[in-house]
Amino acid sequence: GALKRVHDKSLKLLEEEHATMLAAKDRAHAAVLQQVEAEVEEMKQKLAKKDRDHAAEMEEAKKEVEAAKIEAKRLSSTLDAAAHTAQEEERGRLQAQIEHLKKMHEMDREWERKQHAEALEEANKAAESRLKRLQEGQKDTESVSRLMTQVAESAELVRSL
């Protein structure tokens, strides 16, 4: 019986020692597990922060892209307006040149009309002058004819005397 008690006591001590060892192992495992869980949680937080930072960077990049699109549209509109203005200015210059050429053409035509009118006037004056000379010549001829008639009549009168 005493051997059995010693054996039972030894067994009990072994069991207690084993239980203590298991409890110590469990505590060590629990501590390692807690440490691993803490590291996993820290990694999760770091990843979440990286995700938030990345999302913020993406939002910033999207805003920059939108701003660039708006600026591109504005520049395109500015270029379109500048091209339109340049076209309008060129149209204005061409219209002014056309008007100038029309005016010059009209002045040329006016000058030609004036030259023609002056030539006609000179021709008229020359014709009137010639007509006047012809009329004076006719008057002279009529005077000479009357004188010749008077001379002839006088000669008849002298002959009959």
Side-chain angles (χ1 to χ4, degrees):
L3 191 59
K4 176 145 176 57
R5 276 195 308 259
V6 169
H7 177 63
D8 285 345
K9 197 170 190 172
S10 289
L11 190 61
K12 194 175 180 185
L13 282 174
L14 275 174
E15 283 175 355
E16 284 174 5
E17 195 177 310
H18 184 65
T20 303
M21 240 175 42
L22 282 176
K25 258 185 175 178
D26 284 347
R27 282 192 305 275
H29 279 132
V32 167
L33 185 63
Q34 192 176 9
Q35 180 65 32
V36 167
E37 285 174 348
E39 287 174 9
V40 166
E41 186 59 33
E42 186 181 340
M43 287 175 124
K44 281 182 183 176
Q45 287 176 2
K46 283 181 180 178
L47 284 173
K49 183 180 182 332
K50 279 185 180 179
D51 285 347
R52 284 191 306 275
D53 291 348
H54 181 69
E57 287 172 8
M58 289 301 292
E59 274 304 307
E60 189 62 30
K62 282 181 187 175
K63 287 177 186 174
E64 288 174 9
V65 166
E66 283 305 310
K69 284 181 184 176
I70 290 169
E71 182 64 11
K73 283 181 185 174
R74 187 189 69 74
L75 288 174
S76 177
S77 294
T78 301
L79 285 173
D80 288 347
H84 181 72
T85 300
Q87 285 175 343
E88 287 300 314
E89 287 173 357
E90 183 63 17
R91 185 176 290 125
R93 280 193 295 277
L94 290 173
Q95 191 62 39
Q97 285 178 347
I98 288 169
E99 292 302 318
H100 178 71
L101 289 173
K102 281 181 181 177
K103 189 182 285 184
M104 295 302 290
H105 180 68
E106 188 57 38
M107 287 171 65
D108 283 350
R109 290 184 64 183
E110 191 60 39
W111 183 81
E112 285 174 3
R113 277 196 286 272
K114 186 178 172 192
Q115 291 298 104
H116 185 67
E118 287 175 2
L120 279 176
E121 193 176 328
E122 285 180 25
N124 274 342
K125 284 182 182 175
E128 285 174 2
S129 174
R130 191 164 173 221
L131 180 63
K132 198 183 266 184
R133 285 194 311 273
L134 284 173
Q135 287 171 342
E136 288 172 359
Q138 187 179 356
K139 285 179 187 173
D140 288 348
T141 303
E142 288 172 0
S143 293
V144 168
S145 178
R146 275 195 307 273
L147 278 174
M148 299 275 286
T149 304
Q150 288 175 358
V151 168
E153 288 172 355
S154 297
E156 274 302 311
L157 195 64
V158 168
R159 239 188 265 128
S160 62
L161 290 177

